[in-house]
Amino acid sequence: EFISIASHQLKTPSTIVSLYTEMLQNGADISAKQKEYIDEIRSANQRMIDIVNTLLNVSRIEMGIFSPDPVPTDVIAVFKNVIKESAAKIQEKRLVLQEDYHRPKHALPIDKLLLGMVFSNLVSNSIKYTSLGGAIDVTSVKVKKGDKVSAHLITENSLLVIVADDGCGIRSGHQSKVFT
């Protein structure tokens, strides 16, 4: 209940920030630098709204009333956004980031917010467990029906997204618990 109430209360200020930044962009005579600042404010505010929505989803999951909202989503754009949001941490650890996407865009019917959470967790773990000056590789590959990827046989056309790093890895005794 607390998460649900707090989330709803946090939505009001974020909505106001969205409204006023939109008004500034549409009605004001602003410089290119000011526009850039407003764009950053809007982007950060949208991330805040996404976090609040995530908190609401957590409370919905706990109450047993959660349902994903699959909409056509550019998976590559979601991943690039997560990388952009993580850029400061990547630079701070002087990590080498290599991105190799099978194509510039790839739309799938998926819950954009949940996908962003998954990608964010993968990237943040990769950053956290990779040593200073290490490397992170992000790759997307389209796989076809019948392709065997690792131990899994693909049953329909799918997209495989890989986040690999040269970090410490997961101890073999814990690997079986990754998805629990």
Side-chain angles (χ1 to χ4, degrees):
E1 282 181 43
F2 171 76
I3 291 173
S4 182
I5 291 168
S7 298
H8 281 291
Q9 293 301 316
L10 288 169
K11 272 191 161 189
T12 302
S14 295
T15 302
I16 293 169
V17 170
S18 290
L19 175 68
Y20 280 105
T21 53
E22 185 176 330
M23 288 170 51
L24 280 172
Q25 283 183 316
N26 294 335
D29 185 22
I30 56 176
S31 70
K33 195 66 169 170
Q34 290 169 326
K35 182 184 180 329
E36 181 182 328
Y37 292 155
I38 293 169
D39 288 343
E40 284 300 318
I41 291 168
R42 285 192 68 156
S43 178
N45 188 58
Q46 185 57 52
R47 287 193 301 273
M48 179 69 77
I49 290 168
D50 291 345
I51 290 168
V52 169
N53 287 334
T54 300
L55 287 173
L56 282 170
N57 285 338
V58 167
S59 67
R60 289 179 186 125
I61 289 169
E62 300 247 334
M63 293 187 295
I65 59 170
F66 175 77
S67 63
D69 182 24
V71 295
T73 301
D74 181 356
V75 175
I76 306 302
V78 172
F79 215 114
K80 286 181 178 182
N81 190 51
V82 168
I83 296 292
K84 179 182 175 188
E85 290 173 0
S86 305
K89 290 180 182 178
I90 291 169
Q91 276 186 321
E92 182 180 306
K93 287 189 77 173
R94 294 189 298 254
L95 301 174
V96 175
L97 175 68
Q98 179 68 39
E99 296 175 86
D100 184 19
Y101 303 108
H102 71 291
R103 63 183 188 209
K105 294 182 179 188
H106 189 104
L108 292 173
I110 195 162
D111 189 304
K112 183 178 181 177
L113 183 61
L114 294 177
L115 181 66
M117 289 170 49
V118 169
F119 287 167
S120 184
N121 285 337
L122 290 171
V123 171
S124 66
N125 282 340
S126 193
I127 293 168
K128 181 177 180 180
Y129 294 107
T130 300
S131 299
L132 192 70
I136 299 174
D137 293 323
V138 176
T139 308
S140 73
V141 179
K142 179 145 187 200
V143 289
K144 296 177 280 315
K145 184 176 180 175
D147 287 352
K148 188 169 181 157
V149 178
S150 185
H152 305 284
L153 185 64
I154 302 300
T155 56
E156 57 186 82
N157 289 340
S158 302
L159 178 65
L160 175 65
V161 178
I162 303 164
V163 179
D165 59 62
D166 59 3
C168 61
I170 301 170
R171 284 185 254 150
S172 59
H174 293 245
Q175 290 176 3
S176 64
K177 299 174 185 170
V178 167
F179 295 104
T180 59

